[in-house]
Amino acid sequence: QVRLVESGGGLVQTGESLTLSCASSGSIFSVRGMAWFRRAPGQQRELVATINNSGGTTYIDAVKGRFTISRDNDKGMVYLQADSLKPDDTAVYYCNGYSIQAHIPLFSWGQGTQVTVSS
């Protein structure tokens, strides 16, 4: 079973940037899809960005042009570069494997990393 550990969150001001990292305990080389999710206070967890094994990416409209997802299969890492952050981006961010066909996460959730954006 793959274990996931997110890091890199913090408290920033509007317009600043953060780089979130996700380390996996096992190889993600064979995992075709990886994704970042987030859960804002009082909200359900939502999908933010996906990346397939060929490097193809998708983003929700709210972060398109500001966030960039990437992966390093050799290191078992997934990253989310979050630029031009807004207060609406405040949430706990999680990574997970993702079935692009079935639209479901693949592994148990990690603890996530808190991102707080002040106005």
Side-chain angles (χ1 to χ4, degrees), residues 19-93:
T19 301
L20 308 185
S21 299
C22 172
S24 66
S25 62
S27 172
I28 62 171
F29 180 78
S30 62
V31 179
R32 296 180 65 184
M34 295 294 296
W36 282 95
F37 298 78
R38 67 185 181 187
R39 176 178 283 168
Q43 306 276 337
Q44 291 191 336
R45 188 160 19 214
E46 67 170 346
L47 178 67
V48 174
T50 71
I51 184 168
N52 63 26
N53 221 8
S54 301
T57 58
T58 67
Y59 301 91
I60 59 172
D61 287 344
V63 306
K64 202 171 291 184
R66 300 187 298 118
F67 288 14
T68 304
I69 187 172
S70 61
R71 66 192 288 173
D72 185 331
N73 290 337
D74 291 339
K75 295 181 179 179
M77 297 292 294
V78 183
Y79 305 97
L80 186 69
Q81 177 64 39
D83 297 324
S84 302
L85 283 161
K86 305 175 181 180
D88 284 350
D89 296 318
T90 294
V92 180
Y93 284 72

Side-chain angles (χ1 to χ4, degrees), residues 97-109:
Y98 187 67
S99 170
I100 295 174
Q101 292 77 20
H103 305 289
I104 58 173
L106 298 177
F107 309 121
S108 299
W109 294 103

